[in-house]
Amino acid sequence: MTSSSLAGRSTSGSSEDLVLVMDFGSQTAQLIARRVRDANVFCQIVRHDLTVDRIRELRPKGLILSGGPASVYGQGAPSIDPRILELDIPILGICYGMQLTCHTLGGKILPASSREFGRAPCLQVNSCSLFDGLPGSFVAWMSHGDQVELLSEDFEVIASTHTCPNAAVRHRRRAIYGLQFHPEVTHTEFGARLLQNFVRNICGCRGTWQIASLIEQQKQKIREMVGTNRVICGLSGGVDSSVTAALISQAIGKQLSCIFVDNGLLRKGEREQVEEQFSSHFRTDLHVVDARDRFLDELKGVSDPQQKRKIIGRVFIEVFRDEAKSIPNAHYLAQGTLYPDVIESGANPDGPAATIKSHHNVGGLPEELGFELIEPLRDLFKDEVRRMGLELGLPEAMVWRHPFPGPGLAVRCLGPVSEDRLRIIRDADAILIEELHSAGLYRTIQQAFVVLLPVQTVGVMGDDRTYEYVAAIRAIQTEDFMTADWFHFPWDIMQRISTRIINSVRGINRVVYDVSSKPPATIEWE
């Protein structure tokens, strides 16, 4: 099975400017790409060992070398072809990327006498276009053990912190810059402006990349690729698959067939909602497969989250394949894979990021399905997909719906999955979402859901003793879903949610709230 990523300059052949982020294993590489895209410049993450010839083929206007966990002197530490630093392309090294650049060009890197983790006042010591519009002193976010101890004579210092005299540097003759701090994280003041200065002022990017123009490019690519064949799209009811279906539907019309598999692990009323939306709003060829019994039989007694995901992924493929056989002339399979899915799954062929969890829609479909894979959202982040959905005319209620994991409630129902436990979590989750809408908080919170714990506690209802389950509420705020913080609920709203769940949902007698951030926790519990 081949995969076709249709977004962006490097794959679409568009005339948009391109900036590459060379990934050295940083978990914030995707944040760099997001900040660059916020400046309306298309950006892609690629492997750190991308060849000079390939870079020349892609013709980027700039290169950003990400941070990473290694030490430049460590055994097997990731490196780059030194010839990359001789290309006539502006380069910005961040943290490890800076250390590697300076090391390659004759500098000396040593463990810092005082490691910096967190905010640090940063003082400009030499004027530089990288800092245009920034005050002379600003707060920078540090996260490093090593630092540049000695610069080669080709570099000069442009900013310092109390414990890091070479916090920012520039090459005297080439457009090469280094930052020991992380401008991509929100903790660094004016970090977005700094990155915009690099891509717009130093790299000369025009800042013309827009979602609206991308939609037209995508439609044309889909038409050229598909020809007279049919495309099958797997629907989940979430924004990613909905936008994928809408984009392809507008590109090829009746050549699109959608398959929705009811696995018995859906939110309350989800199947009915999908049937209504895709039968009336899209008017697509919609196939609804009722496979609830099959999924629940396979999951019986299974508690391990990875095993759950693998079972659900396998059964989904089997059910989907059987239904797809009934659709004539189907040659392509469309998926709503997003950029963070690819990064988190360690499935990006151009990047070394570690696997955090398995996504059954990323690299999980077997070769014997016989389809070519279309992933038109593969290069986009969640907020970009939402903007695309609105541009395509999708209703706001669909576009702003909170994300829902591919394995559904199975990974929010900790421990064994059963009809009764699914009924409990489904009812509790519906109350939570209803209360968020009522309080006007649904759009303020980027994701909220109920987790049913495999723990029972003693309670008292009236004069009776109860021994029922504990429900945990998870609500987060995030810009990118790669990092997230827990939402600070007003206590009266939290009390109302808890009271309604306990009073209305038979099987729950205690509600707790998850106050952990990502990292170190993930958004989902499993």
Side-chain angles (χ1 to χ4, degrees):
M1 180 184 295
T2 59
S3 173
S4 298
S5 172
L6 299 170
R9 174 185 182 277
S10 64
T11 52
S12 71
S14 121
S15 60
E16 300 289 353
D17 295 326
L18 171 68
V19 170
L20 298 178
V21 176
M22 304 189 76
D23 184 13
F24 291 87
S26 172
Q27 289 298 327
T28 61
Q30 70 284 348
L31 294 182
I32 302 172
R34 277 184 45 80
R35 299 293 176 256
V36 173
R37 293 187 191 186
D38 287 344
N40 299 119
V41 175
F42 188 69
C43 183
Q44 283 188 309
I45 302 173
V46 297
R47 291 181 60 93
H48 64 85
D49 55 359
L50 200 67
T51 66
V52 172
D53 289 341
R54 179 58 177 153
I55 292 174
R56 289 195 180 106
E57 288 176 13
L58 294 173
R59 294 179 288 114
K61 299 294 287 289
L63 298 176
I64 300 178
L65 279 56
S66 82
S71 170
V72 295
Y73 296 117
Q75 185 176 1
S79 187
I80 57 170
D81 186 331
R83 293 178 297 167
I84 290 174
L85 301 179
E86 298 172 3
L87 295 172
D88 188 22
I89 303 172
I91 295 173
L92 175 64
I94 296 175
C95 198
Y96 181 85
M98 170 194 178
Q99 297 166 16
L100 180 61
T101 300
C102 292
H103 169 68
T104 303
L105 295 177
K108 188 174 184 180
I109 317 300
L110 291 174
S113 57
S114 177
R115 297 190 302 170
E116 283 188 305
F117 292 95
R119 294 176 174 86
C122 189
L123 179 68
Q124 294 187 49
V125 297
N126 276 305
S127 62
C128 177
S129 58
L130 197 62
F131 294 146
D132 283 353
L134 273 69
S137 177
F138 58 92
V139 173
W141 180 264
M142 295 286 192
S143 180
H144 66 99
D146 293 351
Q147 64 185 34
V148 180
E149 187 71 19
L150 182 66
L151 289 169
S152 73
E153 60 183 18
D154 291 325
F155 282 90
E156 67 173 349
V157 179
I158 54 176
S160 300
T161 70
H162 178 67
T163 59
C164 184
N166 301 320
V169 301
R170 69 178 173 192
H171 199 278
R172 297 180 188 275
R173 297 182 305 279
R174 307 179 203 166
I176 298 177
Y177 303 81
L179 302 174
Q180 185 55 71
F181 58 88
H182 289 268
E184 70 273 21
V185 301
T186 55
H187 307 305
T188 293
E189 292 181 324
F190 311 102
R193 175 63 185 269
L194 190 155
L195 287 171
Q196 179 175 307
N197 287 341
F198 176 71
V199 298
R200 299 281 287 273
N201 301 345
I202 295 173
C203 298
C205 296
R206 294 161 295 173
T208 57
W209 186 71
Q210 300 284 350
I211 291 295
S213 59
L214 176 63
I215 288 173
E216 294 309 312
Q217 295 170 17
Q218 294 280 51
K219 288 181 184 178
Q220 184 59 34
K221 277 288 177 182
I222 291 168
R223 292 187 195 105
E224 292 174 358
M225 181 179 182
V226 171
T228 60
N229 293 302
R230 293 192 69 80
V231 176
I232 296 175
C233 180
L235 291 178
S236 67
V239 61
D240 305 335
S241 64
S242 298
V243 172
T244 300
L247 177 65
I248 296 175
S249 177
Q250 291 189 19
I252 60 174
K254 294 182 179 179
Q255 292 172 246
L256 172 68
S257 293
C258 294
I259 297 176
F260 177 76
V261 176
D262 184 349
N263 57 13
L265 307 169
L266 306 174
R267 289 170 284 196
K268 196 168 187 175
E270 190 150 30
R271 173 174 170 173
E272 294 76 14
Q273 184 180 34
V274 169
E275 287 182 301
E276 191 279 326
Q277 288 173 339
F278 284 88
S279 297
S280 59
H281 186 81
F282 289 100
R283 288 180 167 77
T284 58
D285 176 36
L286 177 63
H287 299 240
V288 178
V289 184
D290 188 341
R292 290 174 292 183
D293 292 343
R294 183 169 175 182
F295 277 89
L296 294 182
D297 285 346
E298 294 265 5
L299 288 168
K300 191 173 296 182
V302 177
S303 297
D304 180 75
Q306 282 297 86
Q307 190 178 355
K308 287 180 186 177
R309 287 177 179 269
K310 289 178 180 178
I311 290 171
I312 293 166
R314 173 179 57 78
V315 177
F316 175 84
I317 289 167
E318 293 170 358
V319 171
F320 192 95
R321 178 177 54 203
D322 291 343
E323 185 64 25
K325 289 177 181 177
S326 69
I327 301 173
N329 199 33
H331 188 70
Y332 294 93
L333 175 65
Q335 288 191 153
T337 307
L338 304 191
Y339 213 12
D341 293 336
V342 178
I343 295 167
E344 281 205 7
S345 296
N348 183 1
D350 293 321
T355 298
I356 296 173
K357 61 178 179 288
S358 300
H359 293 263
H360 76 257
N361 66 327
V362 182
L365 292 171
E367 296 286 341
E368 60 265 23
L369 269 179
F371 296 107
E372 287 190 56
L373 194 59
I374 297 178
E375 296 177 306
L377 311 182
R378 189 180 175 92
D379 291 329
L380 301 182
F381 291 98
K382 178 69 76 172
D383 61 322
E384 295 168 334
V385 172
R386 294 191 196 279
R387 293 206 302 270
M388 179 178 281
L390 294 174
E391 290 280 351
L392 289 167
L394 297 181
E396 287 203 6
M398 181 185 294
V399 169
W400 289 104
R401 195 173 191 198
H402 288 183
F404 190 58
L409 295 178
V411 292
R412 293 179 179 175
C413 184
L414 276 57
V417 176
S418 67
E419 284 275 18
D420 187 54
R421 299 190 76 221
L422 288 170
R423 186 266 309 166
I424 292 171
I425 190 173
R426 197 173 279 126
D427 290 347
D429 191 74
I431 290 173
L432 169 64
I433 299 305
E434 182 180 313
E435 288 293 336
L436 294 185
H437 280 294
S438 177
L441 293 175
Y442 188 79
R443 288 276 295 274
T444 303
I445 296 168
Q446 282 67 58
Q447 190 167 0
F449 53 90
V450 172
V451 178
L452 189 65
L453 306 187
V455 174
Q456 291 178 292
T457 65
V458 173
V460 177
M461 291 187 178
D463 294 325
D464 294 330
R465 173 187 182 275
T466 63
Y467 191 59
E468 296 179 329
Y469 289 109
V470 178
I473 293 174
R474 178 76 156 140
I476 57 99
Q477 289 186 298
T478 179
E479 291 184 3
D480 45 59
F481 291 88
M482 302 304 292
T483 60
D485 199 6
W486 56 279
F487 179 71
H488 293 244
F489 269 104
W491 289 118
D492 60 327
I493 296 175
M494 177 62 76
Q495 182 183 35
R496 186 162 66 246
I497 293 170
S498 174
T499 300
R500 273 200 66 192
I501 289 175
I502 292 173
N503 287 347
S504 304
V505 182
R506 185 173 297 277
I508 294 175
N509 67 0
R510 193 177 300 270
V511 173
V512 297
Y513 187 50
D514 182 348
V515 292
S516 50
S517 299
K518 176 186 179 180
T522 54
I523 294 174
E524 297 287 344
W525 279 41
E526 289 190 343

